[in-house]
């Protein structure tokens, strides 16, 4: 047992010497470590299918030897059969002598022979189903055995869906798309009245669209304005502005905050009964407001709560005789709140239910007709949103609205509503858009609560070429002046043509016919409008 005693003595000596050795150097052999550079550790690489020496297919590992020299690729040799030598070409023999065997190749036919008989190539090289692993590695072409795989082919860029769409301007993390339209035309009834006169007119309409390019949150702006100038009816010259700035704050993947600021500048539309007689120019009104909302998602259910305020103020009226009149009785504040709940029935269909209330408070308790126009409104509607493979997108809803006024002499406004904003891509060249809205607008008519308006519009766009697009528009609206027997029906048809010279320059032409039929005599009219213009955009 002397060898056992010798081992015990060696262990004791080693236990005494090891701490001293550990202070001088580290025992790398006892520490597990990665093979190679720790800052660039090795990773698994794709296996490739290659032909073995006997014509069979096998897997080839491009890495894995490391420092040990172990090669996991199997080295198979064809079994020798008694009395028969394996067939091998001279090229294959030379390749086996100098390195790994070369991959078998197909004979190349000349283009002339294929052109004479295109089916000949199919008979000589019949199509075969590739091996599963070969199909998986088809995107990574391989070289001869022992060589690393060739670099994958560069992915081709997808063509633009619209070759004439503006590309915009990159401003940091924002994309700006400015544009301006310059239009000139002829209006056969600029005042939209039974005795209106014709006039030439010009329109300058700038716009700016802004979108953020952030991975989280979002800011977008839609600024559109215009100024219309009539040659023979300067009293109808008017500006227009519709500006909205929207923001979304992604608090969590399921919670968001929606913010919106808006500003609207305009005048009463020509032909409106709210326009006073003898005006030197149309009084301009301004609406400024904002809203904030909170959206929360619970699995497939999403709930959104929103509230806001709007302020509407009118300029004083200026008449042709130089006198003025105040419009303070038309100024009012609107406070509103909305609640919406939706359920994701399918990835493309999301039914929803929405309800809301608002209150309108005027600056003057009693208006020029001697009534109190402060009012409270309520509405409820149900519908669904669509996003079916991008062929049908938008939303549609049916509902009911009710508005009651503080003055007991003003009747309550109530009735069904229809709201929609749908886009249907009938084909790659044709798009159909349906819009509908129901509103209750303020009015100055004595004894009339408001104008209950229902409007539906249909627009069909067809591209004869990518650079030539025709548009057909149909519009119908009914206006019921609640509290009086008056009811108007408005219709409009329009045909447009857009010729896209480049991404930056478009030419436009339009013919429009409008008419109104009223149950009160003296309020019917018809009008024809012809215009041509250019759109410059970036």
């Amino acid at each position: 047992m002397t060898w056992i005693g010798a081992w015990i003595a060696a262990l004791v000596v080693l236990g005494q010497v090891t701490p001293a050795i550990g202070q001088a150097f580290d025992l790398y052999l006892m520490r597990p470590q990665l093979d190679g550079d720790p800052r660039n550790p090795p990773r698994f690489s794709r296996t490739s299918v290659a032909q073995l020496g006997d014509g069979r297919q096998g897997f080839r590992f491009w890495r894995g030897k490391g420092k040990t020299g172990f090669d996991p690729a199997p080295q198979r040799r064809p079994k020798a059969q008694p009395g028969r030598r394996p067939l091998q070409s001279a090229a294959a023999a030379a390749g086996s002598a100098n390195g790994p065997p070369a991959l078998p190749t197909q004979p190349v036919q000349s283009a002339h022979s294929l052109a004479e008989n295109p089916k000949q190539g199919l008979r000589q090289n019949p199509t075969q189903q590739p091996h599963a692993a070969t199909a998986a590695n088809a995107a990574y072409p391989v070289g001869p055995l022992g060589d690393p795989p060739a670099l994958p082919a560069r992915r081709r860029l997808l063509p633009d869906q619209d070759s004439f769409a503006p590309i915009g301007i990159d401003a940091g993390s924002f994309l700006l798309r400015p544009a301006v339209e310059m239009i000139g035309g002829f209006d056969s009834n600029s005042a939209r009245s039974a005795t209106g006169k014709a006039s030439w007119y010009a329109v300058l309409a700038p716009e700016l669209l802004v979108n953020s390019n952030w991975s989280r949150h979002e800011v977008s702006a839609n600024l559109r304005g215009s100024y219309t100038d009539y040659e023979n009816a300067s009293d109808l010259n008017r500006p227009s502005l519709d500006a909205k700035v929207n923001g979304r704050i992604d608090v969590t993947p399921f919670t968001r905050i929606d913010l919106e600021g808006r500003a609207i500048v305009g005048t009463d539309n020509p032909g409106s009964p709210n326009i006073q007689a003898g005006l030197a120019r149309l009084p301009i009104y301004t609406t400024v407001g904002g809203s904030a909302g909170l959206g929360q998602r619970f699995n497939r259910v999403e709930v959104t709560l929103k509230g806001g305020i709007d302020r509407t103020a009118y300029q004083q009226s200026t008449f042709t005789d130089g006198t003025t009149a105040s419009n303070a009785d038309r100024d009012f504040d609107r406070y509103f709140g909305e609640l919406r709940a939706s359920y994701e029935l399918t990835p493309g269909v999301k039914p929803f239910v929405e309800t809301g209330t608002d209150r309108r408070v005027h600056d003057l308790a009693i208006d020029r007709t001697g009534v109190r126009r402060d009012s409270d409104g309520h509405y409820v509607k149900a519908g669904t949103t669509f996003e079916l493979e991008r062929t049908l997108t938008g939303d549609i809803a049916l509902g009911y609205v009710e508005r009651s006024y503080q003055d007991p002499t003003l009747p309550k406004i109530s009735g069904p509503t229809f709201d929609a904003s749908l886009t249907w891509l009938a084909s790659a060249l044709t798009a159909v858009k349906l819009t509908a809205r129901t509103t209750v607008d303020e009015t100055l008519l004595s004894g009339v609560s408001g104008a209950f308006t229902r409007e539906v519009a249909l627009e069909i766009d067809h591209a004869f070429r990518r650079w030539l697009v025709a548009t057909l528009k149909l519009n119908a609206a009914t206006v019921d002046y609640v509290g009086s027997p008056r009811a108007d029906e408005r219709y409009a048809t329009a045909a447009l043509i857009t010729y896209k010279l480049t991404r930056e320059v478009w030419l436009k032409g339009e013919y429009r016919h409008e008419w109104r039929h009223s149950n009160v005599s003296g309020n019917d009219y018809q009008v024809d409008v012809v215009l041509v213009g250019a759109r410059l955009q970036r």
Side-chain angles (χ1 to χ4, degrees), residues 363-480:
D363 291 358
L364 300 182
I366 300 177
D367 71 350
R368 68 191 67 179
T369 62
V371 297
R372 300 176 181 270
R373 291 202 172 271
D374 293 349
S375 61
D376 296 301
H378 312 277
Y379 77 90
V380 61
K381 61 182 179 180
T384 182
T385 61
F386 297 96
E387 191 175 354
L388 303 179
E389 298 181 356
R390 300 185 180 236
T391 58
L392 181 62
T393 59
D395 59 85
I396 186 171
L398 296 174
Y400 189 84
V401 66
E402 179 179 286
R403 177 164 292 278
S404 57
Y405 293 82
Q406 184 177 358
D407 198 301
T409 62
L410 297 178
K412 181 173 61 176
I413 299 177
S414 60
T417 63
F418 175 62
D419 299 280
S421 178
L422 288 175
T423 301
W424 174 44
L425 298 180
S427 68
L429 303 176
T430 305
V432 181
K433 300 177 183 179
L434 173 66
T435 58
R437 64 172 185 167
T438 304
T439 60
V440 178
D441 303 318
E442 297 287 319
T443 184
L444 288 176
L445 297 179
S446 178
V448 177
S449 303
F452 193 14
T453 305
R454 301 180 181 91
E455 184 176 3
V456 179
L458 181 66
E459 178 179 333
I460 303 174
D461 297 324
H462 180 74
F464 297 104
R465 294 290 187 270
R466 292 180 301 171
W467 43 267
L468 187 62
V469 181
T471 304
L472 176 64
K473 293 183 179 181
L474 305 174
N475 184 282
T478 61
V479 184
D480 184 13

Side-chain angles (χ1 to χ4, degrees), residues 205-219:
E207 69 178 50
L208 176 63
L209 305 181
V210 181
N211 290 96
S212 61
N213 296 323
W214 303 338
S215 58
R216 289 187 58 198
H217 318 303
E218 182 184 12
V219 173

Side-chain angles (χ1 to χ4, degrees), residues 26-47:
D26 194 2
L27 296 177
Y28 288 99
L29 296 177
M30 303 300 295
R31 178 186 302 174
Q33 60 178 343
L34 292 174
D35 184 14
D37 187 1
R39 294 172 298 180
N40 186 18
R43 292 175 171 82
F44 292 103
S45 59
R46 181 182 296 272
T47 61

Side-chain angles (χ1 to χ4, degrees), residues 186-227:
F186 178 80
D187 194 324
S188 65
N189 187 353
S190 55
R192 301 297 189 271
S193 63
T195 59
K197 58 183 178 179
S199 176
W200 294 92
Y201 73 99
V203 179
L204 181 65
E207 69 178 50
L208 176 63
L209 305 181
V210 181
N211 290 96
S212 61
N213 296 323
W214 303 338
S215 58
R216 289 187 58 198
H217 318 303
E218 182 184 12
V219 173
S220 62
N222 190 335
L223 314 177
R224 302 177 186 270
S226 68
Y227 185 82

